[in-house]
Amino acid sequence: MEICQLSGHFFSGIPLQFNHRLRKSARTPKFLTYANGVSCYQTEKTGQDSQNRMFILGMGFVGQFFAKELRNEGWIVSGTCTSMKKRNELQERGLDVLLFDANQPEMGTMNTLKSYTHLLVSIPPIMGIGDPMLQHGELLRSTMIDGNLQWLCYMSSTSLYGDCGGACVDEDFLASPTNEMAKLRLVAEQGWLNLAHDVGIKAQVFRLGGIYGPGRSAVDTIIKQGPLSESQKRRVAKQFTSRVHVADICQALKASIRIQLSRRIYNIVDDDPASRKEVFAYALDLVEKKWPSLVKEITSHERAEPFVQKTTLKGEKRVSNAHMKNELAVQLLYPSYKSGLQSIIDQIENPF
């Protein structure tokens, strides 16, 4: 396995511009307003369940996994989604979810946010607009100043490093995004870091590799026998794709809450950047060994064909996770896609 090592020094990108306003001292409110609109008296006890309250803007794949882990550790967790159908599905699974339009944030939701001590931002930019929440900068600033937030993390992507010709990049490498969405993410990173600094909140940006986990992996794609999405097809021919298991993302998030960090941006990836062709070939082998009859329904040629394109695409890079390991002290549960996919298939009893 090739471990990414940096041979040169790179300079960081856009400097932060700060508005040096002082944040009001945090106060623990006697009443907590939850995302379902219910207000509850908060006692003065100092246990973890009264101290730690996470609000997740954008309850997607990572947010749902993280919420379950935190709830198991005694946290109060709430989050947002954009459709009633998804909200109902998540509530049926025991998650506290609020309908929320980031383009037009309601004051009720913003007031709810004041009761929370931690904020995870997992809302992607919108083409032509940028980060929808940062459009309402003054509203966000006043909410944070008047509230109890102590920690903020913005979920970004390693895509903003752009095409590096296969070079190894770390967080100090000059980001040169090559597509509009990545450019908007870079602007959003700076916006959230500026805002957090402005109001005196501890903040980090996590640049995530390709996210996978139970229900969302090469193994699941093969079992479902579904066609590749357009974005998947575009990534197929890349020689290097950095990825990370959702459980390791959650490890890093919890570490960043516990540890006083010296930097603002962290790459969250595993040790083994590999092509999608390689990953899907390994996943197919796992599925074939466990359920031979399932794979026989579609020949190996038909299954492999989507992953053997010869087109050379931009975006080649190997992303270093050294700072994540050294500063967050993260010991990867799944250092390679091989251990991650093996764990996923071991948890599946019946693929039908």
Side-chain angles (χ1 to χ4, degrees):
M1 180 184 301
E2 182 177 10
I3 302 298
C4 182
Q5 295 183 345
L6 295 166
S7 58
H9 178 74
F10 301 92
F11 294 96
S12 58
I14 304 171
L16 296 178
Q17 300 296 323
F18 299 125
N19 175 12
H20 297 283
R21 292 175 60 179
L22 295 177
R23 177 178 184 250
K24 293 181 180 179
S25 59
R27 296 165 297 173
T28 302
K30 290 186 177 181
F31 287 88
L32 295 182
T33 305
Y34 294 94
N36 58 12
V38 177
S39 295
C40 174
Y41 183 75
Q42 175 66 40
T43 65
E44 297 300 325
K45 62 183 179 180
T46 59
Q48 187 184 52
D49 59 344
S50 65
Q51 291 294 308
N52 296 320
R53 302 181 295 279
M54 176 70 69
F55 198 85
I56 302 174
L57 279 172
M59 190 76 85
F61 183 69
V62 174
Q64 293 170 43
F65 199 97
F66 192 42
K68 291 176 183 177
E69 287 205 358
L70 291 181
R71 282 163 57 95
N72 289 339
E73 296 177 9
W75 286 60
I76 294 169
V77 184
S78 298
T80 68
C81 69
T82 57
S83 74
M84 182 64 72
K85 179 181 178 181
K86 184 173 182 180
R87 179 193 180 192
N88 292 339
E89 290 174 354
L90 295 178
Q91 288 185 331
E92 287 177 1
R93 287 151 56 184
L95 297 174
D96 185 22
V97 185
L98 179 68
L99 271 180
F100 183 69
D101 182 355
N103 286 297
Q104 297 177 322
E106 297 179 357
M107 285 306 301
T109 304
M110 302 307 292
N111 287 333
T112 297
L113 179 57
K114 293 179 181 179
S115 299
Y116 287 77
T117 54
H118 297 71
L119 174 63
L120 179 64
V121 182
S122 187
I123 298 177
I126 298 174
M127 295 295 290
I129 296 176
D131 188 288
M133 287 298 295
L134 291 177
Q135 295 180 90
H136 313 283
E138 287 304 317
L139 177 59
L140 271 174
R141 182 176 288 105
S142 63
T143 298
M144 292 180 177
I145 290 175
D146 294 338
N148 294 281
L149 282 177
Q150 306 163 11
W151 174 96
L152 180 154
C153 183
Y154 176 74
M155 307 289 266
S156 187
S157 169
T158 57
S159 64
L160 51 72
Y161 290 115
D163 181 12
C164 304
C168 191
V169 301
D170 73 354
E171 294 85 344
D172 295 322
F173 192 93
L174 178 63
S176 301
T178 54
N179 63 68
E180 190 61 29
M181 182 60 74
K183 292 176 182 178
L184 293 175
R185 282 194 183 277
L186 182 59
V187 173
E189 284 186 0
Q190 301 298 328
W192 282 103
L193 288 173
N194 287 347
L195 179 61
H197 183 277
D198 204 18
V199 298
I201 295 173
K202 174 184 175 182
Q204 282 84 45
V205 165
F206 277 9
R207 291 176 177 168
L208 308 179
I211 304 165
Y212 76 102
R216 176 176 163 169
S217 71
V219 166
D220 295 281
T221 299
I222 292 172
I223 289 174
K224 295 172 184 175
Q225 298 183 9
L228 293 178
S229 68
E230 288 304 312
S231 62
Q232 286 176 320
K233 290 177 182 177
R234 288 194 297 269
R235 294 195 298 268
V236 162
K238 287 186 179 180
Q239 183 180 1
F240 303 112
T241 298
S242 294
R243 55 186 55 78
V244 61
H245 193 287
V246 63
D248 285 320
I249 297 173
C250 293
Q251 270 205 96
L253 285 169
K254 287 188 278 189
S256 75
I257 293 172
R258 296 191 306 267
I259 300 171
Q260 186 64 37
L261 303 173
S262 59
R263 67 173 51 245
R264 296 182 297 269
I265 298 174
Y266 288 88
N267 294 330
I268 309 298
V269 297
D270 67 18
D271 293 334
D272 191 10
S275 68
R276 289 180 63 83
K277 177 182 175 182
E278 180 182 336
V279 172
F280 271 84
Y282 185 77
L284 179 62
D285 185 59
L286 290 177
V287 173
E288 189 171 23
K289 288 178 179 177
K290 189 165 185 177
W291 303 293
S293 60
L294 178 65
V295 175
K296 287 179 182 178
E297 294 178 12
I298 298 180
T299 68
S300 296
H301 173 72
E302 290 172 328
R303 176 59 64 191
E305 189 174 9
F307 310 109
V308 295
Q309 299 179 25
K310 300 300 182 181
T311 308
T312 300
L313 300 182
K314 292 185 177 181
E316 295 287 0
K317 57 188 169 290
R318 291 169 295 155
V319 181
S320 170
N321 61 14
H323 290 303
M324 176 192 75
K325 289 182 172 181
N326 296 335
E327 297 177 25
L328 295 180
V330 170
Q331 295 183 349
L332 290 167
L333 297 171
Y334 306 103
S336 166
Y337 69 87
K338 293 182 179 180
S339 56
L341 293 179
Q342 184 67 63
S343 171
I344 289 169
I345 201 168
D346 286 346
Q347 295 175 49
I348 302 175
E349 295 183 1
N350 186 353
F352 303 103

